[in-house]
Amino acid sequence: MEDKTISTAENLQVLYEDNHLIAINKRPGDIVQGDKTGDAPLSEVVKEYLKKKYNKPGNVYLGVAHRLDRPTSGIVVFAKTSKALPRLNKLFADKDAKKTYWAVVKNAPEQQTATLTHWMKRNTKQNKSYAHKKEVPESKKAILDYRLLKKLDNYFLLEIDLKTGRHHQIRSQLNAIGSPIKGDLKYGFDRSNKDGSIHLHARSLSFVHPVKKELLQLIAPPPEEPIWNACL
């Protein structure tokens, strides 16, 4: 993973900040919360950023309300207060946040716009989820809407509205219809991207602010990279 694909306190892409929330445009390669790799998670980077910005002594409060897969990019919202965190958690748990993703895929789906419904079964040993057409034991229903936004030279740009939030849902469902995401070796693409990223980006997020009660609409520019640049 090249260093430029990792966020630091100095290069952090802040999309929105107030007293209660901070929204970051996550780079592919950033890990939202600590895991077995031992790499510094984005939550710690944001804490360091806040500490420097406000000259705070001691610990900075930051709550993780949702996650993105490590190789994906896009919007991640953190809570800056203990008042905002449970409200933000509830908002995501109740699906009251509208999430839109962009995905660059190898093959165009048969239809330009459609709803995909699968039954997802997670294999924790493989850290992979399998999309089944019919319900199987221990599976969960997964639904997304997609539409073809743009035809690129060798790829296709899809916009995805997520209706459920299953493990690796978009990656697995798009692979299931023969449209794997560029760079996603785990889900059907034939080669990886040099920086370990995949071309999946959390493009927009809208929700009612948990404290201010105003509608918040966030949009994140995709990574600076030739194929993403061609999507704009």
Side-chain angles (χ1 to χ4, degrees):
M1 202 73 72
E2 295 165 34
D3 281 353
K4 70 180 173 68
T5 65
I6 304 286
S7 291
T8 64
E10 288 69 41
N11 71 10
L12 201 62
Q13 298 178 47
V14 179
L15 298 169
Y16 174 86
E17 187 189 351
D18 63 22
N19 292 337
H20 306 281
L21 310 176
I22 183 165
I24 305 299
N25 188 9
K26 172 182 133 38
R27 290 173 166 86
D30 290 339
I31 182 166
V32 175
Q33 234 181 347
D35 72 354
K36 61 180 185 290
T37 61
D39 295 343
L42 188 59
S43 53
E44 290 303 316
V45 174
V46 177
K47 280 185 189 177
E48 192 188 337
Y49 163 84
L50 294 170
K51 200 168 181 165
K52 285 180 176 173
K53 182 176 177 181
Y54 299 107
N55 293 316
K56 284 195 171 189
N59 291 332
V60 172
Y61 180 88
L62 196 77
V64 178
H66 67 126
R67 296 164 188 79
L68 284 181
D69 297 345
R70 185 165 192 169
T72 64
S73 56
I75 303 168
V76 181
V77 181
F78 296 98
K80 286 173 63 181
T81 62
S82 53
K83 181 182 181 181
L85 182 61
R87 296 180 184 189
L88 207 54
N89 283 336
K90 188 175 185 324
L91 199 125
F92 284 111
D94 294 347
K95 310 285 183 291
D96 288 334
K98 187 179 186 310
K99 299 177 184 177
T100 302
Y101 289 78
W102 278 6
V104 174
V105 299
K106 185 177 183 175
N107 308 309
E110 282 180 18
Q111 295 164 288
Q112 292 211 346
T113 174
T115 297
L116 300 183
T117 304
H118 289 94
W119 293 89
M120 305 286 290
K121 185 164 181 176
R122 185 171 180 176
N123 182 320
T124 45
K125 279 187 184 159
Q126 294 177 316
N127 188 31
K128 191 171 176 179
S129 288
Y130 292 87
H132 299 270
K133 285 185 176 169
K134 294 190 171 132
E135 189 172 3
V136 297
E138 294 165 44
S139 62
K140 291 178 177 174
K141 200 173 193 179
I143 305 166
L144 63 79
D145 295 337
Y146 75 79
R147 65 189 179 104
L148 180 64
L149 272 193
K150 200 168 187 180
K151 188 179 185 315
L152 308 170
D153 288 343
N154 299 305
Y155 302 102
F156 300 86
L157 174 64
L158 304 181
E159 184 169 85
I160 292 138
D161 284 331
L162 213 44
K163 302 299 180 192
T164 54
R166 306 298 178 208
H167 175 257
H168 291 180
Q169 180 181 336
I170 297 172
R171 299 165 66 180
S172 184
Q173 284 195 279
L174 290 182
N175 183 36
I177 61 160
S179 300
I181 295 169
K182 184 182 183 303
D184 198 355
L185 277 180
K186 182 171 268 194
Y187 290 98
F189 202 79
D190 52 9
R191 62 185 184 278
S192 57
N193 291 338
K194 280 194 181 114
D195 62 0
S197 70
I198 62 173
H199 277 70
L200 179 62
H201 179 69
R203 171 67 171 168
S204 69
L205 182 66
S206 60
F207 57 91
V208 174
H209 192 293
V211 183
K212 295 180 178 176
K213 304 300 179 195
E214 298 163 351
L215 183 65
L216 197 55
Q217 292 179 294
L218 305 170
I219 292 182
E224 271 288 319
E225 177 273 348
I227 289 172
W228 277 127
N229 292 347
C231 295
L232 296 168

